[in-house]
Amino acid sequence: MIKVLFVCLGNICRSPLAQGLMEMKIDELGLNDQIKVDSCGTSQYHIGEQPDERTLKNALKNGLKLEHQARQFSRKDFRTFDYIVTMDKANMDCVKRLDQTNEFSDKFMLIRDFDPVDKGADVPDPYFGGEEGFQHVYLILQRSVSEFLNQIIKTHGLNVSIS
Ligand code: 4NP
C-alpha cells in the first residue's frame, strides 16, 4: 500500500481538499487497494474539527463531498507515510525541522512541484480571505493533485482500470 499524507497549517482548508480530490481520482481509477491518503495540520488550532464551512461549500459546488476530522502532524507520520506533501514552504520547513536527523527528507515534497502552471509555488492560504480564494485553491489543487497521482502511477507502475 502506498501511503500519502497532505499537510497544511490548520487541516481545515487546503490539505483536506487535496485529500478529497486525490481520493476521488483514486476511486475513479480503481486504485483504492493500492493508495491510501490522509491529511493533517502542523498546528493545533483546529484539532477535531470538520473542514472549514467555506471549504465544504466550495468543494460541494464542484461536486466533491469532504469528510475529515482535523488532526495534528505527529513524528509517527514520518514512518507511516511514503509521501509527505505540504501545501507551502512554511509547512515544509515545519516538518523538516521535526525530522532532526534528515532521515525522512526523501519523502518530502511540495504539492505545487506538480503544478504545470506555477511549479514550486505555495498553495495560498484562503483562511483569512474571501470566497474567491477557495475556488482559486480548488483549481490549483485539482491540477496539482491530478499530476501528482499520474506521477505515482508511473513511478510505481500501477495498472489503472478504465471504466
Ligand atoms: P489551512 O488554512 O492551513 O489550509 O487549513 C488555515 C486554517 C486555519 C488557520 C490558518 C490557516 N488559522 O490560523 O486558524
Side-chain angles (χ1 to χ4, degrees):
M1 181 73 85
I2 299 159
K3 299 198 181 91
V4 174
L5 181 64
F6 289 117
V7 185
C8 63
L9 179 62
N11 194 211
I12 54 168
C13 297
R14 294 165 292 175
S15 63
L17 176 59
Q19 177 182 359
L21 282 164
M22 182 125 175
E23 285 172 344
M24 181 174 68
K25 287 169 199 297
I26 286 170
D27 207 38
E28 283 167 8
L29 297 174
L31 295 171
N32 288 303
D33 296 341
Q34 292 168 85
I35 312 173
K36 187 174 163 273
V37 188
D38 193 9
S39 66
C40 68
T42 54
S43 77
Q44 304 184 330
Y45 305 152
H46 298 279
I47 293 173
E49 293 178 21
Q50 293 302 302
D52 187 282
E53 274 303 322
R54 297 162 296 171
T55 298
L56 290 174
K57 207 173 127 202
N58 181 262
L60 264 188
K61 194 183 85 185
N62 289 283
L64 179 63
K65 187 169 190 295
L66 297 179
E67 282 170 66
H68 182 69
Q69 196 175 25
R71 72 168 179 91
Q72 188 178 28
F73 182 82
S74 144
R75 280 202 173 83
K76 218 171 58 190
D77 293 320
F78 286 134
R79 291 197 189 283
T80 306
F81 292 91
D82 304 295
Y83 295 93
I84 296 173
V85 187
T86 71
M87 296 296 120
D88 59 29
K89 291 172 201 77
N91 286 294
M92 170 68 83
D93 288 347
C94 186
V95 293
K96 271 188 182 163
R97 264 197 310 276
L98 292 168
D99 176 25
Q100 286 152 343
T101 54
N102 292 330
E103 191 183 344
F104 304 104
S105 50
D106 289 352
K107 299 185 176 191
F108 303 161
M109 44 201 78
L110 284 169
I111 189 60
R112 289 190 82 180
D113 285 344
F114 303 92
D115 186 352
V117 176
D118 194 1
K119 192 170 143 61
D122 287 344
V123 180
D125 181 352
Y127 188 70
F128 294 106
E131 297 279 328
E132 70 290 346
F134 288 81
Q135 183 63 13
H136 183 51
V137 165
Y138 189 94
L139 296 175
I140 290 169
L141 286 177
Q142 190 176 45
R143 59 182 192 249
S144 303
V145 165
S146 190
E147 198 43 48
F148 173 52
L149 180 55
N150 286 343
Q151 200 59 54
I152 288 185
I153 289 167
K154 250 192 241 168
T155 305
H156 296 266
L158 303 182
N159 288 313
V160 302
S161 62
I162 298 149
S163 54

